[in-house]
Structure formats: C-alpha cells, structure tokens
RNA sequence: GCCCGGGUGGCGGAAUGGCAGACGCUGAGGACUUAAAAUCCUCCGGGGAUUUUUCCUCAUGUGGGUUCGACUCCCACCCCGGGCACCA
C-alpha cells in the first residue's frame, strides 16, 4: 500500500498521499534481544530500535507497563513490595492520546538487570509510562545521550548518560547535556568497541548484521498501521457468515445460503451484546457440516467494509448472480474521478485501497488501485462546525429549500468558495444567489413569447445590428470561459461570476425589443439557460420549457461556442512605461507591434512619462500588453 | 517535535508572469411607492493633488531577490489552519 502510493502521485492531492504515508508509518530499524540476568524463566527482552548504532550507550531497558514480562520480572524481585502498587496505578491510568505528548515521564526500577549483548554490560530494567505496548515490541533501550525522551527520563531518575556518537565538530559532555545528540547523518561512533570510528550510517547495517550473525537480533521494518477489527456490535452492518457448532467449531455458511440477511425485526435495547444476539430466530440455526443445532455469529461487519467496495457494484447493479461481472469492472475501473471530503483521507480511502489489494490478490479485480484521481472538496461550516454525516446538518437544508429552493442552495454553495475550500455558510450572502436567479427568471419570462414565436432558429450573424453583435459576442465569450472553468479548472465560483456578468450585460441592453431580433434573443437566452443547467437544474428545466422545448433540457448537450462570434472587434491594450500603466490604446485584434507602438506614443500621458528619454526596449505581448522601457 | 496548506478591501472571493480587487455580500446615497417589500440607478482599499474632469502615490502577512513587468517564481522570517506525534 505504501509503494503503490507512487501510482497515485499527480492524481491524488499530495497531502492525502502524505497522510496515508504517515498513517502507515513505516519504520526501518532492528530488533535486539537482551537476556535477563539471574531471573529464571524471565526473558529475553526484545527491543526495537532505529538506532542500533547507539546500543553501546544504552544505560537501561524500559518496558511498557502492559508488557507481559513485567509481572514475571517482579516475581521474587527484592523491590516487589514497593513497585507493584506503582505498576497497578500505571496500568490503571487510562492515558488519553492527546495527553501523551505532554505527560510527565514516570517509571520505576524492577530490581532486575538485562545484559547488553554487544558488550555484556548489566543494565537496569525499568518500567516507563511513555513506552507504548502497541508500537514495536513494547520495550526499548534507553540511550539518553542520543534520544531526547530517554535523556529526560534518565536525568529524572539519575541514570548514567554515555556518549557513543561524537559530532564531527565539538565534543559532547555527558553530564552537562540538556539536548540529546540525535543527528544520524553526522558523527563518529565512540565507546563502541569494534565499531568505533564508523559513522552512524555505516554502523547501522554493520551492527544489525553482527546481531543477526550472533543470533540475538536482526534488521527489521515495522509499521504503525494497526490491524483492522471489522466486527461491530451493531444491527446495521453486514452479518458475518459464520456458524459456531458445538461439535465442528467455527464453520463458514455454505455458498448456497449466502447472503445471510439481517433479521427484519431486531430487538434494539441499547444494552448487552449485539442486537442480533437477542434475536433467537436469527441466532439459532443448524451446522452446515453435521446438521446439528448451532449458533450464528452475532456481530456484524463495520460499515467501512461496505464502503470499501460498493463502487464495483455500480458497474453492474442489476446482476442477481454475482456482485458484478468482471469484464464490466475491468472496463470501468479504476475510477477516473472520485470526490469526497478530506475527512475520508485516511480511513475510507485507505480501507478501499486495502480492499482492492485483497480483491486483486484473490483474482477478483485486475487493477492495483481503485481510484485514479481524487478530489477532496471542502466542507460547509457554520460557526466553525463542519456539516457532515456524523455531525449532522449545521444548516437546515429543509428550511433553506423551503425559503429559496434547492437550486439557490446549490448555486450558493458553488459560488461562495472554490470547491476544494471549506465554506462558511452565510445567511446574508445566499440572498445574492436568490436575487440573481430571480433576475434570470424575470429576463426569460419577459422574452419567452418572442422566443416561442421563432420558427427557424438560425441566426444570420452577417446581418446583425451593433446591439446584436455585442450580445452574441458576450454570450459566446462567456460560454468559452465557462466551458474552460468547468472542464479544466473546476472553478465553479468564477464560472458563476461570468454568468452573472453576462446577465448584467443582457439587462444593460434592454429593451431587447429594440434592435434585437427574436432569433438572437433565443440564442442568447438559451445559451444562458444551458450554462446554468448544471448548477440549477430545476430552474433551468423550467426556463427551457418556457422557451418552447418539449424535450427535457437534461437531454441537451453542452453547447459549443462560436469562435467567430466570440471574437472582439478591437482590444484594449494597456501601455506601460517602465512597468507602470500610463494609458490604454484600442486596436484591432492581431495588430502588429509597430502599429501598437505608433498609437501608444500618441497618448499624452505616455509621451509625458517618456519625456525626452530614450526608449531602450519595448516588450509587446500581442493583444495583451505593451511595455516601453526608457532610460 | 515532524510534515502539509494558507495569509489579497468591512466580508466571501477573482486574477494560470501582463490593467490587483472580477462577481457577490454588507454599507451609504438616490429613484419608484401614501408607505413598506420587491425592483432599478450611483458610490464604496489607504493617502495626496485637483474646479468637475482627472492625475499622482502607497497597497496582495514582513524583508530581500529574479524579471521589462511579481498576488503569481526563488530565499528568509512572522502569523493562522490542518495532519501525525513520547512511534523508540
């Protein structure tokens, strides 16, 4: 899963890839076994370290309170009487993950010693609250000179500090350290027997190999990622198709009896075991093997199981034989574009990737990754609280639909922020979207009859009046830019801004009855409606019908813009002198540099700023910009 | 501590090295109305000059750099948000 993240680069947001990388948490290091001195039956203790090169500097072994060896070590220990209560307290204190980082380091000496296999040194075995049973082996070697946490712990409990890596410049004083020296890229090993003089980078593989050769350790890679326990004590979930028989043990439900369905009338008490356990007609069954009485598994699967592969079914939703036809999935997959909240960055999207690997290994799918491109859209917030499935609607959708209609809500969410950004809901701003849609409605309502009367929709552009040309140009320019905002950039907010601008421009040309033929009005208003349709489908459908269409707009294709009509008669080019705008000239598009310069020099403001100085350079970006550099 | 984002008017935001502030919200003034709602029109970053017109100047977190030209690219710093976190 880690390696295949590379396949997602470019298609997935970088931060999601990084979050998954961190979550998987690959860590390369070594495991080393320390024998326990004198205690029969206890040990050895296996520790995990990424810095085996510092092992000569280990001055203690520290175990997690939950480590299984702790109890054994304490048995018959001289200090048992005082340490056992401490252990009990440590095990009892439930530590919140958030507090871990700031929590005071606590520990106690077990009274036992371990033998460092590298130098046969006897070092004390401690128990420390900062060592986690869930990570690595639940036991560490404390190297105070080269690990900040170990340094703090050892200084607190007066354990010795021994420097085993000296920096290339300066020398560390073990008794006066307040910051551990943990740079592994630089330094030379000291006090490390045969490994003296090596750099940590050289020493790490050598010392791991040495440990393996001597049989007390080896290089190993561990992961932070934990097992996924998929069972839940819930009703809503997929039943786990397993039967427990007193004679045959755990037996899978036979294929012909799949799927196992949830009982329709569960007793939901909110107490005790899974709701299914309280439903005898579900629980009691017969063993598929021996036919004798047996019980069903009553836990259900985590809903993440379903969300990890539901999308395959979309390729073949009516298949009643198998979940999907492989050929269909092979055709459609991987998913070209997946859209979801950033909240799914690790759980759902990691499980889905995992599930895909399992299916691939079972031969059920052919691809390595289920989702080629991922877009994480922002969340709607109100007062900093995100609107989501788990938190609920912070904005009343019903209420809003009642007041403004669903289309206004859609338009507003798209308009107020770019799609990848979180959006702070504003009751005031939504009014603007509502007003805009009303403006569009009134406009089309006003011209509906004229448009309806148009028989032949063909627009004769050559015969267009000035007013008509202005309108046609604007609408095709808008269409060109909206198309690009939709297709290549997903900038719905700026696309809407363009459509608003177009609407404003059409209003500015009112009354259209004067000088704008009905077929031109039809063209302009239909394109306006088509552009709005993806965002306000209900309204657009109604407007479409008002303009005489009997077939639904949803069947219409996205229009293509007319290059010729979109072209400007003249372009306004800012004229800069030394990079500052001093005037503007209007020229036909495609004018040559000398032509533009000639007109530009006629501008009084430009002439004034040149003021006798020599133009040493001129930069002309066709139809965009002219910059005259004077010295 | 490590790793990512992001800082533009009163607010949401626009500007893919080429006129900073499009579009919208808020606010102010006006038209229509007996009145209100709705609608329509005008203005709306700071400072300065100016009689209207208009012009100059500063301004995209701060300071440098690259460039004819920087919100945009590069370097350093500050602040905010997010992810992971005694991970050995």
């Amino acid at each position: 899963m880690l390696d295949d993240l590379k396949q997602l680069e470019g298609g997935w947001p970088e931060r999601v890839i990084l979050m998954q990388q961190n979550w998987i948490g690959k860590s390369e290091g070594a495991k080393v076994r320390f024998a326990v001195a004198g205690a029969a039956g206890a040990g050895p203790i296996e520790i995990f370290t990424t810095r085996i090169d510092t092992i000569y500097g280990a001055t203690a072994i520290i175990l997690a309170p939950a480590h299984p060896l702790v109890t054994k070590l304490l048995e018959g220990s001289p200090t048992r009487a005082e340490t056992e209560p401490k252990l009990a307290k440590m095990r009892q204190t439930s530590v919140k993950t958030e507090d871990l980082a700031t929590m005071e380091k606590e520990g106690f000496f077990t009274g036992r010693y371990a033998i460092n296999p590298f130098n046969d040194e006897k070092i004390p075995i401690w128990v420390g609250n900062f060592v986690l049973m869930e990570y690595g082996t639940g036991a560490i070697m404390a190297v105070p000179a080269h690990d900040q946490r170990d340094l703090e712990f050892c200084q607190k409990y007066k354990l010795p500090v021994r420097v085993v890596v000296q920096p290339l410049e300066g020398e560390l004083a073990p008794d006066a350290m307040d910051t551990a020296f943990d740079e592994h890229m630089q330094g030379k090993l000291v006090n490390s027997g045969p490994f003296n003089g090596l750099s940590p980078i050289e020493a790490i593989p050598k010392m791991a190999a040495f440990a393996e050769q001597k049989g007390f350790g080896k290089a190993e890679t561990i992961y932070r990622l934990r097992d996924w326990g998929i069972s839940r004590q819930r009703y809503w979930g997929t039943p786990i198709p397993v039967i427990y028989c007193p004679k045959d043990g755990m037996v899978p439900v036979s294929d012909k009896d799949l799927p196992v369905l949830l009982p329709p009338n569960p007793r939901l008490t909110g107490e005790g075991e899974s709701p299914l356990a309280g439903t005898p007609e579900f629980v009691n069954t017969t063993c598929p093997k021996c036919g004798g009485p047996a019980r069903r598994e009553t836990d259900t699967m985590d809903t993440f199981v379903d969300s990890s592969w539901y999308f395959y079914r979309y390729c073949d939703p009516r298949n009643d034989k198998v979940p999907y036809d492989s050929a269909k999935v092979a055709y459609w997959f991987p998913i070209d574009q997946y859209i979801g909240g950033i909240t799914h960055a690790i759980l759902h999207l990691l499980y889905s990737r995992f599930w895909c690997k399992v299916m691939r290994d079972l031969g059920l799918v052919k691809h390595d990754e289920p989702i080629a491109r991922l877009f994480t859209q922002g969340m709607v917030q109100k007062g900093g609280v995100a609107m989501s499935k788990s938190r609920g609607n912070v904005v009343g959708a019903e209420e809003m639909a009642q007041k403004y209609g669903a289309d206004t809500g859609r338009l507003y969410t798209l308009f107020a922020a770019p799609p990848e950004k979180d959006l702070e809901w504003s009751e005031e701003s939504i009014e603007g979207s509502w007003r805009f849609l009303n403006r569009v409605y009134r406009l089309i309502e006003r011209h509906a009859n004229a448009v309806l009367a148009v028989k032949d929709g063909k627009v004769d552009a050559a015969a267009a009046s000035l007013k008509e040309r202005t309108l046609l140009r604007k609408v095709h320019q808008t269409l060109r830019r909206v198309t690009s905002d939709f297709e290549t950039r997903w900038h719905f907010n700026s696309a809407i801004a363009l459509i608003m601008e177009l609407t404003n421009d059409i209003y500015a040309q009112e009354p259209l009855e004067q000088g704008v033929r009905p077929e031109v009005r039809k063209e302009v208003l239909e394109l306006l409606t088509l552009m709005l349709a993806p965002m306000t489908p209900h309204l657009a459908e109604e407007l479409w019908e008002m303009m005489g269409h009997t077939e639904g707009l949803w069947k219409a294709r996205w229009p293509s813009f007319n290059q010729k009509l979109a072209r400007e008669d003249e372009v306004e080019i800012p004229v800069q002198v030394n990079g500052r705008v001093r005037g503007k000239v209007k020229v036909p598009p495609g004018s040559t540099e000398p032509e533009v310069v000639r007109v530009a020099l006629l501008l009084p403001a430009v002439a004034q700023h040149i003021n006798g100085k020599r133009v040493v350079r001129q930069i002309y970006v066709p139809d965009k910009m002219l910059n005259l550099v004077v010295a």
Side-chain angles (χ1 to χ4, degrees), chain A residues 64-68 95 97 100 129-139 222-227:
Chain A
H67 197 288
V95 185
T97 353
L100 268 179
N129 64 348
F130 69 101
V131 179
L132 308 170
M133 193 60 221
E134 309 79 58
Y135 188 77
T137 58
I222 64 164
Y223 297 88
R224 199 184 80 91
L225 187 68
R226 277 169 238 162
D227 288 346

Coordinates of all heavy atoms in Angstrom, one line a residue, chain A residues 64-68 95 97 100 129-139 222-227, chain B residues 85-88:
Chain A
A64 N 7.1 -1.2 28.5 CA 5.7 -0.6 28.7 C 5.1 -1.3 29.9 O 5.3 -2.5 30.2 CB 4.9 -0.9 27.4
P65 N 4.2 -0.5 30.6 CA 3.5 -1.1 31.8 C 2.8 -2.3 31.4 O 2.6 -3.2 32.2 CB 2.6 0.1 32.2 CG 3.2 1.3 31.7 CD 3.9 0.9 30.4
A66 N 2.2 -2.4 30.2 CA 1.4 -3.5 29.8 C 2.2 -4.7 29.3 O 1.7 -5.7 28.9 CB 0.4 -3.1 28.8
H67 N 3.5 -4.5 29.3 CA 4.4 -5.6 28.7 C 4.2 -6.9 29.6 O 4.3 -6.9 30.8 CB 5.9 -5.2 28.7 CG 6.7 -6.0 27.9 ND1 7.1 -7.3 28.2 CD2 7.3 -5.7 26.7 CE1 7.9 -7.7 27.2 NE2 8.0 -6.8 26.3
P68 N 4.0 -8.0 28.9 CA 3.7 -9.3 29.6 C 4.9 -9.7 30.5 O 4.6 -10.4 31.5 CB 3.5 -10.3 28.5 CG 4.0 -9.7 27.2 CD 3.9 -8.2 27.4
V95 N -4.6 6.5 29.6 CA -4.0 7.7 29.1 C -4.7 8.1 27.8 O -4.8 7.3 26.8 CB -2.5 7.4 28.8 CG1 -1.8 8.6 28.3 CG2 -1.8 6.8 30.0
T97 N -4.8 9.8 24.3 CA -3.8 10.0 23.3 C -3.3 11.5 23.2 O -2.1 11.7 23.0 CB -4.3 9.6 21.9 OG1 -5.6 9.1 22.0 CG2 -3.4 8.7 21.2
L100 N -0.6 12.3 25.8 CA 0.6 11.5 25.7 C 1.9 12.4 25.6 O 2.8 12.2 26.4 CB 0.6 10.5 24.6 CG 0.1 9.1 24.9 CD1 0.1 8.3 23.7 CD2 0.9 8.5 26.0
N129 N 6.0 4.8 31.8 CA 4.7 5.1 31.2 C 4.7 5.6 29.8 O 3.7 5.6 29.1 CB 3.9 6.1 32.1 CG 4.6 7.4 32.2 OD1 5.7 7.6 31.7 ND2 3.9 8.4 32.7
F130 N 5.9 6.0 29.3 CA 5.9 6.6 28.0 C 6.2 5.5 26.9 O 6.3 5.9 25.7 CB 6.9 7.8 27.9 CG 8.4 7.3 28.0 CD1 9.2 7.2 26.9 CD2 8.9 7.1 29.3 CE1 10.5 6.9 27.0 CE2 10.2 6.7 29.4 CZ 11.0 6.6 28.3
V131 N 6.4 4.3 27.3 CA 6.7 3.3 26.4 C 5.3 2.6 26.0 O 4.6 2.2 26.9 CB 7.7 2.2 26.9 CG1 7.9 1.1 25.9 CG2 9.0 2.9 27.2
L132 N 5.1 2.5 24.7 CA 3.8 2.0 24.3 C 3.8 0.6 23.9 O 4.7 0.1 23.2 CB 3.3 2.8 23.0 CG 3.3 4.3 23.1 CD1 3.1 4.9 21.7 CD2 2.3 4.8 24.1
M133 N 2.9 -0.2 24.5 CA 2.9 -1.6 24.1 C 2.5 -1.8 22.7 O 2.9 -2.8 22.0 CB 1.8 -2.3 25.1 CG 2.0 -3.8 25.0 SD 3.6 -4.4 25.5 CE 3.9 -5.7 24.3
E134 N 1.7 -0.9 22.1 CA 1.2 -1.1 20.8 C 2.2 -0.9 19.7 O 2.0 -1.2 18.5 CB 0.0 -0.1 20.5 CG -1.1 -0.1 21.5 CD -0.7 0.8 22.7 OE1 -0.4 1.9 22.5 OE2 -0.7 0.2 23.8
Y135 N 3.3 -0.3 20.0 CA 4.3 0.1 19.0 C 5.6 -0.7 19.2 O 6.1 -0.8 20.3 CB 4.6 1.6 19.0 CG 5.4 2.0 17.8 CD1 4.9 2.1 16.5 CD2 6.8 2.2 17.9 CE1 5.6 2.4 15.4 CE2 7.6 2.5 16.8 CZ 7.0 2.6 15.6 OH 7.8 2.9 14.5
G136 N 6.1 -1.3 18.1 CA 7.3 -2.0 18.2 C 7.1 -3.3 19.0 O 6.2 -4.0 18.9
T137 N 8.0 -3.5 20.0 CA 7.9 -4.7 20.8 C 7.4 -4.3 22.2 O 7.4 -5.2 23.1 CB 9.3 -5.3 21.0 OG1 10.2 -4.4 21.5 CG2 9.8 -5.8 19.6
G138 N 7.1 -3.1 22.5 CA 6.7 -2.7 23.8 C 7.8 -2.5 24.8 O 7.6 -2.4 26.0
A139 N 9.0 -2.6 24.2 CA 10.2 -2.4 25.1 C 11.3 -1.6 24.3 O 11.4 -1.8 23.1 CB 10.8 -3.8 25.4
I222 N 9.2 -2.1 10.8 CA 7.9 -2.2 11.4 C 6.9 -1.1 10.9 O 7.4 -0.1 10.3 CB 7.9 -2.2 13.0 CG1 8.5 -0.9 13.5 CG2 8.8 -3.4 13.5 CD1 8.2 -0.6 14.9
Y223 N 5.7 -1.3 11.2 CA 4.7 -0.3 10.7 C 3.8 0.2 11.9 O 3.5 -0.6 12.8 CB 3.8 -0.9 9.6 CG 4.6 -1.3 8.4 CD1 5.2 -2.6 8.4 CD2 4.8 -0.5 7.4 CE1 6.0 -3.0 7.3 CE2 5.5 -0.8 6.3 CZ 6.1 -2.1 6.2 OH 6.9 -2.4 5.1
R224 N 3.4 1.4 11.7 CA 2.5 2.0 12.7 C 1.0 1.5 12.5 O 0.2 1.4 13.4 CB 2.5 3.5 12.6 CG 2.0 4.2 13.9 CD 2.0 5.7 13.6 NE 0.9 6.1 12.8 CZ -0.3 6.5 13.3 NH1 -0.4 6.6 14.6 NH2 -1.3 6.8 12.6
L225 N 0.7 1.2 11.2 CA -0.6 0.8 10.9 C -1.0 -0.4 11.7 O -0.3 -1.3 11.9 CB -0.6 0.4 9.4 CG -1.9 0.1 8.7 CD1 -2.7 1.3 8.6 CD2 -1.6 -0.5 7.4
R226 N -2.2 -0.3 12.3 CA -2.7 -1.4 13.1 C -3.7 -2.3 12.4 O -4.2 -1.9 11.4 CB -3.3 -0.9 14.4 CG -2.3 -0.5 15.4 CD -2.9 0.3 16.5 NE -2.1 1.6 16.7 CZ -2.6 2.6 17.3 NH1 -3.8 2.6 17.8 NH2 -1.9 3.7 17.4
D227 N -4.0 -3.5 13.0 CA -5.0 -4.4 12.4 C -6.3 -3.7 12.4 O -6.6 -2.9 13.2 CB -5.0 -5.6 13.2 CG -3.8 -6.5 13.1 OD1 -3.1 -6.2 12.1 OD2 -3.6 -7.4 13.9
Chain B
rA85 P -1.3 9.8 15.7 OP1 -1.5 8.4 15.9 OP2 -2.4 10.8 16.0 O5' 0.0 10.3 16.4 C5' 1.2 9.6 16.4 C4' 2.3 10.4 17.0 O4' 2.4 11.7 16.4 C3' 2.3 10.6 18.4 O3' 2.5 9.5 19.2 C2' 3.3 11.7 18.6 O2' 4.6 11.2 18.5 C1' 3.0 12.6 17.3 N9 2.1 13.6 17.7 C8 0.7 13.7 17.5 N7 0.2 14.8 18.0 C5 1.3 15.5 18.6 C6 1.4 16.7 19.2 N6 0.4 17.5 19.5 N1 2.6 17.1 19.6 C2 3.7 16.3 19.4 N3 3.7 15.1 18.8 C4 2.5 14.8 18.4
rC86 P 2.2 9.4 20.7 OP1 1.6 8.2 21.2 OP2 1.6 10.8 20.9 O5' 3.7 9.4 21.2 C5' 4.2 10.2 22.2 C4' 5.7 10.4 22.0 O4' 6.1 11.1 23.2 C3' 6.5 9.2 22.0 O3' 7.8 9.5 21.4 C2' 6.7 8.9 23.4 O2' 7.8 8.1 23.7 C1' 6.9 10.2 24.0 N1 6.5 10.4 25.4 C2 7.2 11.4 26.1 O2 8.1 12.1 25.6 N3 6.8 11.6 27.4 C4 5.8 10.9 27.9 N4 5.5 11.2 29.2 C5 5.1 9.9 27.2 C6 5.5 9.7 25.9
rC87 P 8.0 9.6 19.9 OP1 9.4 9.9 19.7 OP2 7.0 10.5 19.3 O5' 7.7 8.2 19.3 C5' 8.7 7.2 19.3 C4' 8.5 6.2 18.2 O4' 7.2 5.6 18.3 C3' 8.4 6.9 16.8 O3' 8.9 6.0 15.9 C2' 7.0 7.1 16.6 O2' 6.6 7.1 15.2 C1' 6.4 5.8 17.2 N1 5.0 6.0 17.7 C2 4.0 5.3 17.1 O2 4.3 4.5 16.2 N3 2.7 5.4 17.5 C4 2.5 6.3 18.5 N4 1.2 6.4 18.9 C5 3.5 7.0 19.2 C6 4.7 6.9 18.7
rA88 P 10.3 6.0 15.3 OP1 10.7 7.1 14.6 OP2 10.1 4.7 14.6 O5' 11.4 5.8 16.5 C5' 12.0 4.5 16.6 C4' 12.6 4.5 18.0 O4' 11.6 4.9 19.0 C3' 13.1 3.1 18.4 O3' 14.3 2.8 17.9 C2' 13.1 3.2 19.9 O2' 14.2 3.9 20.4 C1' 11.8 4.1 20.2 N9 10.7 3.3 20.5 C8 10.3 2.1 19.9 N7 9.2 1.6 20.4 C5 8.8 2.6 21.3 C6 7.7 2.7 22.2 N6 6.7 1.7 22.2 N1 7.6 3.8 22.9 C2 8.5 4.7 22.9 N3 9.6 4.7 22.1 C4 9.7 3.6 21.4

